[in-house]
Amino acid sequence: MHDPRTAYHSGEFPGQRQDSPGSHEAMNPVPDSGAETYVGHGRLAGRRTLITGADSGIGRAVAIAFAREGSALALNYLPEESDDTAQTVHLIGSAGPPVVQLPADLRDESANTEVVAQSLDALGGLDVLVLNAGYQHDISDITALETSEIRRVVETNFMAPLITIRAAAEHLGPGSCIIITTSIQACDPSPGLVDYAMTKAAQAALVKALAQSLGERGIRVNAVAPGPIWTPLIPSTGWSEDHVASFGQDTPLGRAGQPAELAGAYVYLASDEASYTSGCILAVTGGKSL
Ligand code: NAD
Ligand code: MG
């Protein structure tokens, strides 16, 4: 049994910043993706999963856990993230089910449909969609919010998951599921993340609506809502080094979370153990309330 206050890195972080999309390997400390600790039990044996934003952070932790649980994987990421993706693939290893890499910028509508088509082709079908790619940027003031930034947030967090689901829906059969990475920002928005928080709230509504329409076909739809998690998104949001240093210290558990602490939630939602769970927003927030 571990004390959750000290089970992973606790206390502040060294101040740091990166350009978006940020590198997992360049962070100090390097986020814990569970590569050293996650033990699989075949709970996703035979599944075929597409994960977006799979190179780093939460997506990397989910990729490692799903591979160890027996799922074949299609990994999507931005073309400039090939180094982080190579490390993810290395950590997964070659002993398990197939892993295919599908670099593409999902702000492009046709890229979403192509990633679905390539996943179907490479894996022979799709059973799980983990729609996890996301973008956020700090806004000092609403008057400083640039239209190009609004577009990037909306196209990445709002349009891309919707278009990917639309392309994949006809190929999903009974027992398959969709998992979206929303955020605590959906319910408890920060003023500096106004456009991002809007898209995360929209994702929560999407999950609740889709759970109703796809339930009739035996397809479950859920979301994970992370609190403050130590990933490349954080030093590349545009916050000051001091802000990054104190990231996550205000949670009831007194620290930021690590990607490894999210993987079990996704495995649960994708597995048969969650056969009666749909339309759920699962909070992994260090005790912060949704
Ligand atoms: P991350 O930077 O490791 O992952 C985000 C990934 O999104 C990037 O690696 C990139 O591959 C992908 N991405 C961004 N724009 C893209 C585009 N146009 N096309 C394709 N892929 C694109 O950071 P993370 O924190 O692991 O983020 C994963 C998800 O978790 C995001 O949806 C984020 O909003 C959400 N989230 C993170 C936190 C946190 O504190 N880190 C909290 C709540 C929610
Ligand atoms: Mg990345």
Side-chain angles (χ1 to χ4, degrees), residues 4-286:
R5 296 168 300 177
T6 52
Y8 288 84
H9 177 94
S10 57
E12 299 211 341
F13 297 98
Q16 56 203 282
R17 299 181 66 156
Q18 290 193 44
D19 291 334
S20 183
S23 155
H24 190 114
E25 296 303 317
M27 289 180 72
N28 177 23
V30 175
D32 186 339
S33 56
E36 311 268 307
T37 48
Y38 193 91
V39 179
H41 295 94
R43 288 192 286 173
L44 304 179
R47 304 280 212 285
R48 297 155 297 185
T49 303
L50 166 63
I51 306 173
T52 66
D55 61 302
S56 59
I58 296 166
R60 177 186 286 187
V62 172
I64 290 168
F66 273 44
R68 292 183 189 175
E69 295 290 358
S71 179
L73 297 176
L75 308 179
N76 163 256
Y77 50 93
L78 286 165
E80 62 263 39
E81 297 181 304
S82 56
D83 287 354
D84 269 352
T85 308
Q87 180 63 5
T88 300
V89 170
H90 169 72
L91 292 169
I92 290 170
S94 54
V99 179
V100 294
Q101 299 178 43
L102 303 175
D105 186 334
L106 298 179
R107 281 175 285 174
D108 174 17
E109 179 177 352
S110 60
N112 292 277
T113 46
E114 270 166 38
V115 161
V116 170
Q118 288 166 340
S119 302
L120 290 165
D121 200 35
L123 306 182
L126 270 176
D127 308 298
V128 185
L129 302 181
V130 177
L131 302 175
N132 167 74
Y135 173 71
Q136 71 178 24
H137 64 110
D138 179 50
I139 308 149
S140 56
D141 183 273
I142 188 71
T143 57
L145 179 54
E146 290 173 23
T147 305
S148 60
E149 285 293 314
I150 303 175
R151 281 220 170 85
R152 183 166 172 187
V153 167
V154 170
E155 286 173 1
T156 308
N157 304 348
F158 183 90
M159 300 282 291
L162 203 51
I163 294 167
T164 302
I165 291 168
R166 184 180 69 188
E170 65 176 297
H171 304 284
L172 300 175
S176 49
C177 71
I178 299 170
I179 306 169
I180 298 182
T181 307
T182 174
S183 170
I184 192 170
Q185 290 288 326
C187 308
D188 184 15
S190 304
L193 294 174
V194 58
D195 50 353
Y196 173 81
M198 287 170 66
T199 60
K200 292 293 164 177
Q203 290 178 340
L206 171 64
V207 162
K208 291 176 188 175
L210 268 182
Q212 296 177 59
S213 61
L214 294 181
E216 294 169 0
R217 291 177 42 201
I219 301 166
R220 295 179 299 104
V221 187
N222 294 291
V224 175
I229 311 300
W230 186 241
T231 72
L233 195 68
I234 303 314
S236 63
T237 291
W239 287 318
S240 68
E241 293 208 1
D242 285 350
H243 186 115
V244 172
S246 63
F247 180 71
Q249 303 303 301
D250 62 341
T251 62
L253 292 178
R255 64 173 176 85
Q258 293 291 324
E261 299 181 274
L262 275 293
Y266 291 81
V267 169
Y268 164 68
L269 290 173
S271 73
D272 287 335
E273 272 88 53
S275 54
Y276 202 56
T277 301
S278 194
C280 155
I281 314 283
L282 182 48
V284 185
T285 57

